[in-house]
Amino acid sequence: MERERRALAHVFDRMVPDADQAAMAVEGTGRRTVGKEVFEDTQPRVKLAGTVVVDEAGKHFRLYSKSSMYAFCVDPVGRIEHLYWGKALPPNDDLTYLSFSNGPAKLQRAAVAKNHLRAKASAPVSTGKEALGSDEDNGIALLDSESSVDGGTVKNYSNMHTIEGTEKSLAGDTTTADTHMAMTSALGISNLQDLLDAGSVFRAQIDSSTSIKCPLPWENPRTFLGEWAGAATFGRPSKLLEFGEGSTGDYRSPSFDLRFQDGGRVCPFRYQSHRVVSGKQPMQHINGRLPELHANVENATTLVVTLVDEQSLLECDLVYTVFNDVDAIVRRVVVRNTTAHPILVQKLMSATVDFHTSNSYFLTHLSGSWANERRIVSKELSMGRVCIDSCRGTSSHQHNPFAALSVGQPQENDGEVYGMTLVYSGNFVAESDMCENGRVRLQMGINPNNFEWELKSNDIFESPECVLVFSDSGLTGMSHQFHSLFRHHLLPKQFKNTVCPVLINTWEAMYFDTTYANVMSLAKGAAKSGVEMLVVDDGWFGSRDDATSSLGDWYVCKKKLPEGLAKLAQDINDLGMHFGLWVEPELVSHKSRLYQKRPDWILHKPDVNKDSADGDFVLDLTRTDVQNYLIDCMSSVFESANIEYVKWDMNSHITEIYSDHAAPSAQGKVYHQYCMGLYQILNTLTSRFPRIRFETCCGGGGRFDAGMLQYSPQIWTSDNTDATSRLFIQHGTSLVYPPSCISAHISSVPNHQTLRISSFKFRFLVSLFGSLGLELNIATIEERECAELSMYLQLCKALSPIVHEGEFYRLWNPVDSKQLCAWMSYHQGRGEAVVAAFLLTSDPGHYLPRLRLKGLEPQSNYLVEEIIPSTAAHNVQTGRIEACPAPIYKLGKKSITASGRTLMSAGLPVHLIYDGDTAAFFIRDISRFM
Ligand code: GLA
């Protein structure tokens, strides 16, 4: 057995030389289910990436993604016990030992063993008294030294304790020490240490069998549960679970909270069955539409584990999809009310992952505010709960539905990071809960705050999907997994691997003055510079001269555009540009025809006065008549002209949540139904108008989430267009979202939000690492700048495919250094990279570090060319920074040649000298073009 295992390990090592393998192969023994197939010893080589391996006998499940693995099993009482998440392990390695040590604390195992001992009470008596230690060491002392029976490790049992004392403390048992001594002896256990480690006795029996059996008291789940219940007064051990119940002694934040008709909420779900499905099992969209990742039978496998509450017979499915091309798993939970009575779903997390104790856990998330979204925050966890959430109706500017756990402060390039994001655009929560023994639960789902879903008999409730990614190469690896997953399995397929046309948006150029003359003047200037699309932002409809009116009145303002949208679009097309339009359909202004006609269509509490004199209301998207109205209304706008781009905005959070349309008992559904109503509208419109590229927006970046990415391949990142601010915002956003999804516009100077002045080159380079556009009035920029702009736009067209299809690297972190930022994108297929470095605050006399590149092939030789070299240099005679007639190259010359190894190890010397100074390089693998 051992020899065989070693041989398999050897095969695995050969097949999995590093973490980057595309697929793993092993020689198998025994019978397992891989995806749909069952394979025997005779079918030796099986690709594991993207498959689910099930040990049918032991009910162990291993989900293999590209190069990582996620494993769990059914425990003796039928809970789904988490075993492992990390680098892929050979399927032949027996992980039952993880399960064993994950069980009740040793103290409780002692209690279990005690039952077994009792069962053996008739065994022949022999003494073992000497080994049992002094009578003064009693169990109470042991408990005190433990301070808890909640799954903690036994810290102090070097002094032997009497079994009697221990047992008394555990269960108030009065059995005599002699009897126990007799029993321990019968088992070959000579001291308490052995008794506490009695697991080894069971373990031996598990090892001797290929299938996993749970002998002795474990065989009977009820007995086992009984033992656990004995400890429940203090808290059940924090067993690592996939779906944690509350109310039965596990005091961590539960994965769900369901209330039965009798008011009870005890619901111990237990394993019932499982099935493995090729590809991805699509959502049912029974409660309404939700976004979801897509996959096909070749690149994914889905495991559905069905649980049942034996008391109420309520059922639920834990659904896992694993992908072969990315280290990601997508999870969701489906509750089926198979009982005769309605139940209330008050909390249902899409994914729960329990992590075993480690030295120091850090939680990383993206938090901020309007105009300052998604700053990276990392903090060390201590005992207790941390909750990152939104209750604003959108995923929010304040917190992003993302959280990552790492052991120690997360590193950019090294170390293991576990990331989670929710495919959802409404109220969410990401919770971490470190319990007293250092174990951490991380989970994410719909925010239970203000959520309550009545599930009638036979009804189904589906949670949104949650994405889990594993990286053993720090935050960079995590970002690459998210980016790759979203690009290949989430973004609208028709826009996959396409670069958005360079657009100019009218907002900061003219705000509400979107007259035909203004728009055409902008369009003409833009066309000359090489801009490919013009997007008319706010102000084109109703009597919209400022933010106080007309939302809902989606007809053209004839005063501004006398000949309508069709003519404007045509004229812009005639300039060789595409035409796009801004809309904000979810809101209605108090001053609008729509509100006069349908005041009942808004979300509000009728008896609570909402101050709306100059404001707007959020339409009640829970109503299908409102959804249909918006679908029809927007369809006629989109059909009215040659519109190829739509910026879908939403400049409000939801307050006074209440739907007149819903019964009092259904008010807890409104936030979630709103979100699903929005998805229904977006789904219909994006399917009806597949040529239109959508950009979603929410007062800037207040709804930047994976849910929106199913419908819009890019999202407006922030209302703050200042390039320096954007460095921070885009840096944080890139942690989860690919650069192609990050709308990044060059705006005018002084910047409208910060009044900061930065060079055109600085602004261009920041925007280049996103979906580049313009947010300025070309008509007002100098001729010299127009020429500069044309050059930038040409560069953008050449370099954007590298940024959009390549892998993104954060080389220098502005958050840490406050002084420097550098980014790089490397397109492996092309062997090309683009790199930019930014100096935020100069520190005269201090040298900058060398800029070490990443992701290149160490053996390949690269040509490094500086693009857009600056002409600024220090005049050593005067000490001034002066403009020189010739370009000043940071590398001393226009280009150098160096191996990938040199560029990554020695790096590039980058002399940036003044605040806002920048350098940019284009790098090519020489073998590709020589
Ligand atoms: C939001 C957007 C801006 C602009 C305005 C128009 O704030 O983020 O880009 O479209 O609305 O009102």
Side-chain angles (χ1 to χ4, degrees), residues 507 512 537-538 544 582 647 649 651 697 699-700 716 719 775:
W507 181 239
F512 293 96
D537 207 281
D538 203 346
R544 181 85 164 168
W582 177 97
K647 178 176 173 188
D649 205 346
N651 281 306
C697 170
W716 183 230
D719 271 349
E775 193 94 12

Side-chain angles (χ1 to χ4, degrees), residues 137 200 228 355 430 437 439 448 457 578 597 731 739 760 777 787 864 885:
D137 291 325
S200 59
W228 277 47
F355 294 83
N437 51 32
R439 285 182 165 183
S457 190
H578 305 283
K597 243 169 85 188
H731 195 86
F760 216 148
N777 194 346
V864 182

